[in-house]
Amino acid sequence: MNQFKRFYLLFSLALSFIIPLITFQSNAKIIPIETFYSFKPTVTAPAPSLSMALAAQPEVQPSSIPYFLFCAYIGITALLLVRFIKNMVSLAIKIKNGKKTTWQGATVILNTKESAAYSFMNYIFVNEADYENQNIHETILQHELAHVKQKHSIDVILIELLQIFLWFNPLLYFYRKAMQINHEYLADESVIHYQDLNTYQMVLINYISIQSGLSLTSQFNYLTIKKRLTMMSKTNSLRVALGKQLFLLPILALALFLFSTKIEAQETLNKASIKDKSVGLNKTEQKEYKQLVDKYFGPPGNKFKGLTLNKEELARLQSLFIAMSEAQKESAKISFIKLAPLPRKSPSEGQLFSWQSKRFGVWIDGKRIENSKLNDFKPSDFSHWSVGYLTKRAVNYGKLDNEIYLMTNAKFENDQKNPKTAMLINNGKNTIKFKNSVRM
């Protein structure tokens, strides 16, 4: 069971980096729900007046919080990396300068300072006087030898490196403690195969030492001795052990399901019916397209009726046009094009002030408002504006100079995420008219 825990702790760390890279793909037929909007072409704004030109554009200052967070991450990571290198250098110096001997295949480093026995990689560090006077019980050396043979230092270095770069993740600190205590259980298990359990427990109780202070080493820690003594006396049945291990499978599957993100690609909606663009629509689909067009035009197909298709019919008309070949699209009576996104531009304070005059008709997000209500807004509330000129047929021709169209930040962001598609009508005279637009 302890061997399985070691495998689980290492495997789960690796899996946490692999799972986000796993992608499951499936094809599904989705009926699009379209939202309809009347199309109003953007008119290029006239040259601003002198008062408008003098008004300063609001300058949006970028937030400095991400910069400070990045600097804090780099600073803390650098400190932890320096500490790691310092510990490695300290161990390397002890290995190089210390007196060496061998014991059952491991290199024993003898030092003159009083310290607890601990191990790192293929080295066991002990007090020189205690070792030569045989004051160190053999079970202690066997315990450290188990750490050496089972390569526990590799696990410790791995979790240490992860903590250096992912120090902000609190779960890694629990992982580290779980790994270290499991290493002790594995080493104890190796010792009690060859030594009397009661004798070994008494040795641990009587063994009082000073810690080495190096986080990279396997060492005796009196804070974990109680847990280790309890674990030695604990017995688990094979059925319980296997049950705990198999229980991880549904937990893993549930975690994979709960932390997955479902993404539906919109391109599949538009291209679902396309088999081969070079072939285009078959005769049945061409007939269906003509029937929908005839709802807009008379039987000859030249006189516009002024009717409006419903949502389902317009969505179907659009999907048929997308499935056409290039030759069919050139002769299509009704076609669709994607509109370029609007440029981001905010009005100046001078412009907002001048538009409060009754000479202008003001619209915000497609709704007509009283000019005086512009006093409740500031330039940064808008992401786009345009000016519309009134023709002689307009109701307010002669009463208003221009129509002002303003778009709030929320409306602008929504339009950027959901680009419009304009429906174009060919009147048979090589001219195209914008009739309306739909969301893709």
Side-chain angles (χ1 to χ4, degrees), residues 11 35 37 57 94 96 99 130 150-151 181 209 218 225 253 280 282 302 311-312 330 377 397 432 439:
F11 178 74
T35 305
Y37 298 85
Q57 292 287 345
K94 289 183 179 181
K96 181 179 179 181
K99 187 178 178 181
D130 291 342
Q150 296 179 23
K151 307 296 182 182
I181 190 64
S209 62
S218 298
I225 287 181
N282 56 37
N302 292 325
K311 296 179 181 180
E312 291 75 13
E330 290 180 1
F377 294 90
Y397 181 77
I432 299 295
R439 296 292 179 188

Side-chain angles (χ1 to χ4, degrees), residues 118-352:
Y118 59 92
S119 59
F120 178 74
M121 300 303 287
N122 197 41
Y123 301 96
I124 300 175
F125 299 81
V126 297
N127 181 268
E128 182 178 0
D130 291 342
Y131 183 81
E132 292 178 349
N133 296 328
Q134 298 184 351
N135 292 332
I136 302 177
H137 200 279
E138 185 180 355
T139 56
I140 302 300
L141 295 176
Q142 288 178 344
H143 179 95
E144 298 303 327
L145 183 64
H147 286 306
V148 170
K149 289 184 176 180
Q150 296 179 23
K151 307 296 182 182
H152 292 166
S153 296
I154 297 177
D155 302 2
V156 176
I157 292 176
L158 174 63
I159 193 67
E160 183 79 11
L161 291 175
L162 287 177
Q163 277 190 290
I164 290 174
F165 296 99
L166 302 175
W167 51 264
F168 51 84
N169 189 343
L171 292 180
L172 285 178
Y173 296 90
F174 295 101
Y175 257 87
R176 182 194 184 93
K177 290 183 178 180
M179 278 188 175
Q180 289 177 333
I181 190 64
N182 190 62
H183 289 167
E184 299 303 322
Y185 293 159
L186 287 168
D188 291 337
E189 185 179 13
S190 178
V191 173
I192 60 179
H193 278 312
Y194 307 100
Q195 296 292 337
D196 179 68
L197 176 59
N198 293 332
T199 302
Y200 182 53
Q201 289 178 329
M202 291 302 300
V203 170
L204 291 180
I205 294 173
N206 294 327
Y207 193 81
I208 301 174
S209 62
I210 302 174
Q211 298 182 46
S212 69
L214 297 177
S215 59
L216 299 174
T217 59
S218 298
Q219 54 189 290
F220 280 88
N221 187 339
Y222 64 92
L223 295 177
T224 61
I225 287 181
K226 182 179 179 181
K227 293 182 180 180
R228 293 164 57 188
L229 293 175
T230 303
M231 179 60 69
M232 292 179 200
S233 305
K234 199 173 182 181
T235 56
N236 286 326
S237 65
L238 180 60
R239 181 179 299 178
V240 173
L242 290 176
K244 290 181 179 179
Q245 296 172 17
L246 294 176
F247 184 69
L248 288 175
L249 296 178
I251 295 296
L252 178 61
L254 181 63
L256 187 63
F257 174 78
L258 293 178
F259 291 98
S260 295
T261 302
K262 184 179 180 181
I263 300 177
E264 296 177 355
Q266 292 188 356
E267 290 185 355
T268 58
L269 298 179
N270 296 331
K271 299 179 181 179
S273 61
I274 299 178
K275 297 179 181 178
D276 187 353
K277 283 189 175 182
S278 62
V279 176
L281 302 182
N282 56 37
K283 291 184 178 180
T284 303
E285 292 170 332
Q286 291 179 21
K287 183 178 180 181
E288 182 184 1
Y289 173 80
K290 184 178 182 302
Q291 290 175 347
L292 291 174
V293 171
D294 287 343
K295 285 197 173 185
Y296 267 94
F297 297 88
N302 292 325
K303 186 176 180 182
F304 178 59
K305 288 183 177 182
L307 299 178
T308 302
L309 296 176
N310 59 39
K311 296 179 181 180
E312 291 75 13
E313 289 173 329
L314 189 55
R316 180 55 180 164
L317 189 65
Q318 181 179 341
S319 64
L320 288 172
F321 174 79
I322 295 174
M324 288 181 177
S325 64
E326 294 300 325
Q328 290 173 339
K329 287 181 178 180
E330 290 180 1
S331 60
K333 193 73 177 179
I334 297 178
S335 58
F336 299 83
I337 62 169
K338 288 185 179 181
L339 300 180
L342 295 174
R344 186 186 297 273
K345 60 175 183 176
S346 299
S348 65
E349 293 183 0
Q351 288 173 317
L352 288 184

Side-chain angles (χ1 to χ4, degrees), residues 332-399:
K333 193 73 177 179
I334 297 178
S335 58
F336 299 83
I337 62 169
K338 288 185 179 181
L339 300 180
L342 295 174
R344 186 186 297 273
K345 60 175 183 176
S346 299
S348 65
E349 293 183 0
Q351 288 173 317
L352 288 184
F353 178 77
S354 63
W355 292 337
Q356 294 182 31
S357 171
K358 295 294 184 180
R359 298 181 298 106
F360 299 96
V362 180
W363 299 73
I364 295 181
D365 292 344
K367 295 181 181 180
R368 183 72 161 84
I369 67 164
E370 293 291 334
N371 299 57
S372 59
K373 289 188 177 181
L374 281 178
N375 195 38
D376 299 333
F377 294 90
K378 54 184 181 293
S380 58
D381 293 332
F382 303 102
S383 293
H384 184 77
W385 62 272
S386 61
V387 177
Y389 298 98
L390 299 176
T391 64
K392 292 183 178 180
R393 295 183 181 181
V395 176
N396 292 323
Y397 181 77
K399 300 178 183 179

Side-chain angles (χ1 to χ4, degrees), residues 96-107:
K96 181 179 179 181
N97 299 333
K99 187 178 178 181
K100 301 178 182 65
T101 185
T102 57
W103 188 78
Q104 295 190 13
T107 301

